[in-house]
Amino acid sequence: MFAPRDPDEYLLDTERRVIRIRRHWAYLMWDSFEAVALIAICVMVSYLLPPSMWVLQNVLWYAALLVVLRYAYQVMEWWVERLVVTDKRFVMTTGVFTTKVLMMPISKVTDLTYERTWNGRMLGYGTMVVESAGQIQALNRIEYLPRPEEFYDTISELVFGDKQKQAERFSMIKAQRAARGKKMVG
């Protein structure tokens, strides 16, 4: 009831799911560093204060607790955020308490730009800039993508590839799954 909906629930029966990912764990690196640093400062200052300042020590411990709770919420937001790419559109779901669904049709994509910083190469993430017919879309810049080369190749094939071969491949996969008795997802 209170759990965020699965992104696949927003897909149509006629859509084929191609990619389903969440952002790379490096997305949380700065938040992790910030939380550890703030907790360390609170603990250090608390221990340096004389025992007579117990009220201020308690305030510092409550501040550290708030830092932990804030970080836990950021991790939950990262965990529930999903990007699903189908043969027809990009769908991103975000939000712990209020679900937000961002969508952009694949047919609107006119240009793809793939960026990878030095840190991204070291840790295995990248950024994809998806441009569409002179408009700024909700999903125009997708950062911290894991395995960005595969993502770029797959999206390029969907947008600029041969539609007939994609349809044949999709029908072949559907037939193989039906022969094995498995329900097709996406």
Side-chain angles (χ1 to χ4, degrees), residues 173-185:
I173 291 171
K174 195 174 187 180
Q176 288 172 348
R177 288 184 181 161
R180 285 185 271 168
K182 294 184 178 177
K183 184 181 178 218
M184 187 169 159
V185 177

Side-chain angles (χ1 to χ4, degrees), residues 108-171:
K108 298 278 186 184
V109 175
T110 58
D111 191 25
L112 291 173
T113 304
Y114 165 64
E115 299 171 358
R116 199 152 190 202
T117 62
W118 181 81
N119 287 340
R121 285 192 302 271
M122 295 296 290
L123 297 175
Y125 67 87
T127 299
M128 185 72 56
V129 178
V130 182
E131 295 178 15
S132 64
Q135 301 173 351
I136 301 294
Q137 297 287 333
L139 292 171
N140 68 329
R141 186 171 183 85
I142 308 167
E143 297 178 327
Y144 293 99
L145 283 173
R147 299 182 312 276
E149 294 91 5
E150 294 174 29
F151 188 87
Y152 180 79
D153 291 343
T154 304
I155 299 304
S156 294
E157 178 66 29
L158 280 173
V159 174
F160 307 113
D162 184 9
K163 303 298 182 200
Q164 181 63 31
K165 285 185 181 178
Q166 288 177 13
E168 289 171 6
R169 182 172 173 261
F170 178 54
S171 62

Side-chain angles (χ1 to χ4, degrees), residues 35-169:
V36 168
L38 287 172
I39 291 170
I41 289 169
C42 288
V43 170
M44 207 177 334
V45 170
S46 176
Y47 281 118
L48 291 175
L49 289 174
S52 63
M53 300 188 78
W54 60 272
V55 173
L56 188 55
Q57 287 179 343
N58 284 345
V59 169
L60 286 170
W61 285 103
Y62 284 119
L65 177 64
L66 287 175
V67 168
V68 169
L69 291 175
R70 179 178 169 264
Y71 180 69
Y73 181 76
Q74 289 169 331
V75 170
M76 284 190 318
E77 277 187 325
W78 169 78
W79 187 258
V80 300
E81 180 181 271
R82 297 288 172 103
L83 174 65
V84 177
V85 179
T86 70
D87 57 342
K88 297 181 180 172
R89 61 185 174 154
F90 290 88
V91 178
M92 181 180 271
T93 58
T94 62
V96 176
F97 299 112
T98 303
T99 302
K100 183 177 178 182
V101 180
L102 309 167
M103 189 273 302
M104 184 172 102
I106 289 280
S107 61
K108 298 278 186 184
V109 175
T110 58
D111 191 25
L112 291 173
T113 304
Y114 165 64
E115 299 171 358
R116 199 152 190 202
T117 62
W118 181 81
N119 287 340
R121 285 192 302 271
M122 295 296 290
L123 297 175
Y125 67 87
T127 299
M128 185 72 56
V129 178
V130 182
E131 295 178 15
S132 64
Q135 301 173 351
I136 301 294
Q137 297 287 333
L139 292 171
N140 68 329
R141 186 171 183 85
I142 308 167
E143 297 178 327
Y144 293 99
L145 283 173
R147 299 182 312 276
E149 294 91 5
E150 294 174 29
F151 188 87
Y152 180 79
D153 291 343
T154 304
I155 299 304
S156 294
E157 178 66 29
L158 280 173
V159 174
F160 307 113
D162 184 9
K163 303 298 182 200
Q164 181 63 31
K165 285 185 181 178
Q166 288 177 13
E168 289 171 6
R169 182 172 173 261

